[in-house]
């Protein structure tokens, strides 16, 4: 019996979604957005608000904000928004591959994209969903998105999006996360009263931040926190972000390597519209998702198809089956789950093919998400 990939229909963008990416509307500091109006999740104060008259911060602060805006707008490091009209030119003229990531300039995801695809054009996206959609709509060539962290665990949202969209995993990249405490120039450590960053980054620096007595304030992402510190010219607050974010937004690194655990590594997936052809000339990993009937020993039976063939499992994750979260069996109702599994084998190996043929005999659903080379580096 041949192993098949069960595909869900391509996600259609709602009619009310706006994505004005035409060349006439380019803003060097823009990110790709597919959202309804203004995003409630974006906690950054808009530049227009920060520069309006009578904001109570004084002339010097306004001048500082204007200077920061000028630096960021003139910076060649900041990508321009992508238009669908540009795709044909990108393919035909041999220019750099375009890679979507979630966040703003200076995010760890941007560094992962540049590690995965050196010399690429990294394209910032406001949400994880947007990055998936940008690849599907041919606005970019690839996406690089986080899937798990050695301290914080799995990124559940991206597991759900892998099933919702029809993209393929074509690679992985691991990035060591080194957090820094960033503040505006002239601000001393003793001046700080609060710190802004992504909740996971704040948790990863818990001991250092407690010792410094700083009040935590959660925002959408680490680089976004650095951007807010610079744009609002805050003198009592710092951001937990990367050294690269400090360079981009003109901030001073008050302290380096403030994470509690040095073994802080995030694994990212490289996504594309088409799968790669798996090989056997190097170490490969295969990612699948499946569901099972309810019953004693069913999950054991599913995992046994790998154990019997000496195939090593590197990851197993369960997620609710969203459309049918409850299943009736024997007069009782059970939670229904999808199981995501990574195993060390290439789909070019006969042993892996046999394992999935065996699993398909009793799985109610099975999809191969990708078979791709393993990243053996940790930096």
């Amino acid at each position: 019996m041949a192993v098949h990939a069960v595909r869900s229909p391509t996600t259609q963008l709602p009619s009310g979604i706006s994505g004005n990416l035409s060349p006439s509307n380019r803003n060097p500091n823009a990110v790709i957005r597919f959202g309804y109006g203004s995003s409630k999740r974006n906690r950054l104060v808009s530049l227009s608000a920060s520069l309006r008259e009578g904001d109570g911060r004084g002339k010097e602060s306004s001048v500082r904000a204007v200077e920061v805006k000028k630096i960021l707008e003139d910076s060649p490091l900041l990508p321009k928004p992508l238009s669908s009209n540009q795709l044909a030119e990108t393919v035909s003229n041999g220019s750099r591959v375009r890679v979507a990531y979630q966040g703003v300039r200076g995010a760890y995801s941007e560094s992962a994209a540049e590690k995965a695809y050196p010399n690429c054009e990294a394209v910032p996206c406001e949400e994880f969903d947007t990055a998936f959609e940008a690849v599907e709509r041919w606005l970019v060539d690839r996406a690089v998105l986080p899937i798990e962290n050695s301290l914080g665990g799995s990124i559940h949202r991206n597991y759900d999006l892998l099933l919702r969209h029809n993209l393929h995993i074509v690679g992985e990249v691991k990035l060591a996360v080194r957090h820094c405490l960033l503040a505006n120039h002239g601000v001393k450590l003793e001046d700080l009263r609060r710190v802004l960053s992504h909740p996971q980054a704040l948790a990863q620096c818990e001991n250092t931040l407690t010792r410094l007595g700083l009040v935590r304030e959660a925002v959408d992402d680490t680089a976004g926190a650095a951007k807010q510190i610079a744009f609002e010219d805050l003198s009592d607050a710092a951001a937990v972000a990367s050294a690269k974010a400090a360079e981009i937004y003109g901030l001073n690194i008050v302290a380096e390597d403030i994470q509690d655990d040095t073994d802080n590594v995030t694994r990212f997936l490289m996504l594309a519209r088409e799968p790669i052809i798996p090989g056997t000339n190097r170490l490969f990993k295969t990612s699948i998702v499946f569901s099972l009937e309810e019953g004693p020993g069913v999950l054991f039976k599913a995992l046994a198809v790998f154990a019997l063939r000496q195939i090593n499992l590197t990851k197993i994750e369960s997620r609710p089956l969203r459309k049918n979260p409850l299943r009736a069996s024997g007069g009782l109702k059970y939670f229904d789950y999808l199981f995501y599994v990574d195993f060390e084998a290439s789909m070019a190996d006969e042993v892996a093919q046999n394992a999935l043929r065996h699993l398909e005999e009793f799985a109610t659903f099975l999809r191969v998400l990708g078979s791709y080379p393993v990243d053996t580096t940790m930096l």
Side-chain angles (χ1 to χ4, degrees):
M1 184 180 299
V3 174
H4 62 278
V6 181
R7 292 171 176 263
S8 57
T10 302
T11 302
Q12 298 295 321
L13 295 177
S15 58
I17 283 181
S18 62
N20 189 356
L21 304 175
S22 62
S24 61
N25 287 292
R26 289 181 181 177
N27 177 345
N29 201 32
V31 297
I32 292 181
R33 293 180 176 87
F34 299 114
Y36 296 93
S38 60
S39 171
K40 292 182 180 179
R41 294 182 62 194
N42 185 0
R43 295 178 173 83
L44 297 182
V45 176
S46 68
L47 191 58
S48 59
S50 68
L51 297 179
R52 69 181 184 272
E53 293 183 2
D55 61 0
R57 295 200 312 271
K59 181 178 180 182
E60 182 178 347
S61 178
S62 296
V63 170
R64 162 67 177 167
V66 171
E67 290 175 348
V68 171
K69 177 189 177 187
K70 178 65 175 172
I71 292 171
L72 294 175
E73 287 182 344
D74 292 344
S75 173
L77 297 175
L78 294 172
K80 294 179 173 59
L82 184 64
S83 87
S84 56
N85 296 330
Q86 293 173 291
L87 183 65
E89 299 174 8
T90 301
V91 174
S92 62
N93 65 16
S95 59
R96 297 178 298 168
V97 62
R98 301 187 128 168
V99 181
Y101 68 93
Q102 187 276 328
V104 299
R105 288 288 282 121
Y108 290 107
S109 291
E110 183 188 31
S111 297
E114 292 171 345
K115 179 184 177 183
Y117 297 98
N119 302 317
C120 72
E121 180 181 350
V123 180
C125 296
E126 193 173 53
E127 308 287 348
F128 291 133
D129 310 54
T130 311
F132 275 87
E133 292 164 2
V135 179
E136 286 186 328
R137 293 175 55 171
W138 292 75
L139 297 175
V140 296
D141 306 300
R142 300 285 190 273
V144 173
L145 298 171
I147 196 66
E148 61 177 325
N149 176 266
S150 58
L151 302 180
S154 299
I155 314 297
H156 293 140
R157 178 62 179 164
N158 284 337
Y159 274 105
D160 296 338
L161 291 172
L162 282 172
L163 188 63
R164 181 181 302 178
H165 295 272
N166 291 324
L167 300 184
H168 301 269
I169 304 174
V170 296
E172 67 174 6
V173 61
K174 297 172 184 174
L175 186 76
V177 177
R178 301 180 62 185
H179 291 309
C180 298
L181 194 64
L182 313 181
N184 283 301
H185 289 277
V187 176
K188 299 178 181 179
L189 194 59
E190 53 266 28
D191 299 328
L192 299 176
R193 297 293 178 269
R194 54 198 178 104
V195 58
L196 286 63
S197 196
H198 187 277
Q200 198 169 93
L202 294 174
Q204 292 170 0
C205 304
E206 177 74 22
N207 294 339
T208 301
L209 300 180
T210 299
R211 188 175 69 253
L212 295 175
L214 300 178
V215 177
R216 286 76 151 171
E217 294 184 15
V219 296
D220 285 344
D221 56 77
T222 56
K227 185 177 179 181
Q228 182 175 350
I229 296 294
F231 272 26
E232 297 185 28
D233 196 22
L234 300 177
S235 59
D236 67 335
V240 174
S242 65
K244 183 175 182 179
E247 179 182 352
I248 291 172
Y249 299 111
L251 297 175
N252 181 43
I253 299 178
V254 179
E256 294 182 290
D257 291 328
I258 63 172
Q259 62 273 2
D260 298 335
D261 195 320
T262 56
D263 293 329
N264 187 0
V265 177
T266 299
R267 176 175 167 247
F268 294 79
L269 297 180
M270 300 151 63
L271 305 173
R273 288 178 292 273
E274 299 295 334
I276 62 170
I277 300 175
T280 57
N281 59 332
R282 57 186 296 187
L283 184 61
F284 264 70
K285 179 183 293 184
T286 298
S287 297
I288 64 172
V289 56
F290 61 90
S291 60
L292 302 166
E293 291 286 357
E294 181 62 41
V298 177
L299 181 57
F300 170 81
K301 183 178 178 181
L303 300 182
V305 306
F306 302 101
L308 290 172
R309 295 170 176 85
Q310 300 298 306
I311 297 175
N312 184 44
L313 303 185
T314 60
K315 173 76 173 177
I316 182 168
E317 181 78 29
S318 63
R319 296 292 297 149
L321 190 58
R322 295 290 180 116
K323 293 183 179 179
N324 298 290
L326 295 177
R327 175 187 296 174
S329 178
L332 299 175
K333 287 188 175 181
Y334 298 90
F335 291 153
D336 214 354
Y337 287 97
L338 290 164
F339 298 96
Y340 292 81
V341 168
D342 294 343
F343 59 87
E344 289 181 339
S346 168
M347 282 307 298
D349 295 330
E350 186 177 0
V351 65
Q353 297 172 18
N354 291 337
L356 293 197
R357 287 191 187 100
H358 191 174
L359 178 60
E360 191 186 28
E361 292 176 3
F362 53 89
T364 57
F365 167 83
L366 172 62
R367 176 176 164 187
V368 177
L369 299 172
S371 189
Y372 47 92
V374 172
D375 180 11
T376 56
T377 70
M378 295 298 290
L379 298 176

